[in-house]
Amino acid sequence: MSTSAPAKVPTPEQPGSGSGVLDRHFRISERGSTLSREVRGGFATFFAMAYIIVLNPIILGSAKDMYGHQLDNGQLVTATALTAAFTTLLMGVVGNVPIALAAGLGVNSVVALQLAPRMSWPDAMGMVVLAGFVVMLLVATGLRERVMNAVPYGLRKAIAIGIGLFIMLIGLVDSGFVARIPDAAQTTVPLQLGATGHLNGWPVLVFVLGTLLTLALIVRKVPGAILISIVAMTAVALVINAVADIESWGLTTPTWPGNPVATPDFGLIGEVSLFGGFGKVGVLTGVLFVFTVLLSCFFDAMGTIMGVSDEAKLTDGEGQMPGINKVLFIDGVAVAAGGASSSSATTAFVESTAGVGEGARTGFANVVTGGLFTAALFLTPVATMVPSQAATPALVAVGFLILAGSIKEIDWADYTIAVPAFVTMLMMPFTYSITNGIGMGFLTFAVLRLAAGRGREVPPAMYAVAAVFAFYYLMPALGLT
């Protein structure tokens, strides 16, 4: 009879509770996660980014191409959900990281407002596909990974913090807690509290209560804090909307749909002309258009992947993520897939941090998120029922968690790192762009290292990227936009 103690059976919340094929493939136990955490994380990420199913069709559908054609809203909903499902599943199963993908905000505006008015929609989407091919080529040659590895550790942390501040601002704006002051006000102040300078209305109250609930659950270390808050506040919003006279909830009104099933319309899939745009705008302008899309996709995704992987503890002691090339290549595939489906470039979403905040550490969370996007193809009315006021508290909470976990890792005594880090983390929310934050931070880093006589400490790839950004910012002055 053995006198050894019996093996401890892991509880559902302890690392090691993954089982069988799933645990081995996704390395759930190895990364200190559990199946339940991955499932919760997948749900949290989906609900935090489900707004894209509504928002992307609004942005693309409101624009016209040079012939006056507009994309069909129903077809855009299908294309957006389908591409998000495919690329998120691909990243989860092949890349094994909890980084979900969908149509990129910012890039879709470039496509709608810069490309489409000067060519047809298939031409514009063809340029997005070409940008995706270039991204894949850069990964295959090792150039993209070289650029990422050249980023100093302090700047990596600053990128993560900047993303945290950025997604927090996204949450505040999307919820209506802060609002843009109209130009008619003739003020230099861009934002104000609420729509009128005050907090008014039930929707804002849902956001405030949701934020307090989320933070309280996090402080209490309650498993599933973010998801619990999203579900609870959606229920509250449904009740409020049923009994109160609400003027507007913004993008999504919390109403239980009479018919939750909708038939997907795949009419936009494959409507692409790879090189037709060059015949409309010329070779030089066409190349610059592709470059503009490429630059936004390249660095937005780079910043997001670095920030999310760092928050998920998937990086080593030097801040590098093993297997990054595979992840970057899938991101390039996603850009091309977005163009091929006419949903604009698909890229890594910062809202993935909502799932990471729930404990997601592997690609199985993506399988859950991708599965929900697949279901959204047929259940769009249900998927879009969650109002932003119920989902955005997750972004505020996760923004804080990223800041708290990363800011102490920056060497504030070395101004050649501290100042670029400061510029990076502030320019992301202040310019509403991850790309701008990275670009201005890289430029500042290169200049300050040269000014300090430490130019040899800057990797050549950083100089090359800084030069690309300098050219990018000078393009309007050179008449190249």
Side-chain angles (χ1 to χ4, degrees), residues 221-246:
K221 295 181 169 50
V222 175
I226 292 174
L227 185 57
I228 289 172
S229 176
I230 291 174
V231 173
M233 298 318 298
T234 298
V236 171
L238 283 168
V239 173
I240 290 175
N241 191 66
V243 301
D245 183 18
I246 309 296

Side-chain angles (χ1 to χ4, degrees), residues 149 151-154 156-157 309-310 312-322 409-410:
N149 290 340
V151 181
Y153 183 75
R156 288 172 177 269
K157 291 298 181 180
S309 61
D310 187 69
K313 306 295 188 293
L314 299 179
T315 54
D316 57 25
E318 298 180 354
Q320 313 291 345
M321 185 170 73
E409 300 293 329
I410 297 173

Side-chain angles (χ1 to χ4, degrees), residues 120-127 130 270-277 280:
S120 70
W121 280 111
D123 295 336
M125 295 303 172
M127 295 209 163
L130 291 175
E271 292 295 311
V272 175
S273 172
L274 277 182
F275 301 103
K280 306 289 195 316

Side-chain angles (χ1 to χ4, degrees), residues 162 165-166 421-441 473:
L165 295 174
F166 180 45
F422 176 75
V423 170
T424 298
M425 65 179 68
L426 291 187
M427 286 302 104
M428 285 189 192
F430 286 171
T431 65
Y432 223 66
S433 167
I434 294 174
T435 299
N436 283 337
I438 293 174
M440 294 176 188
Y473 292 131

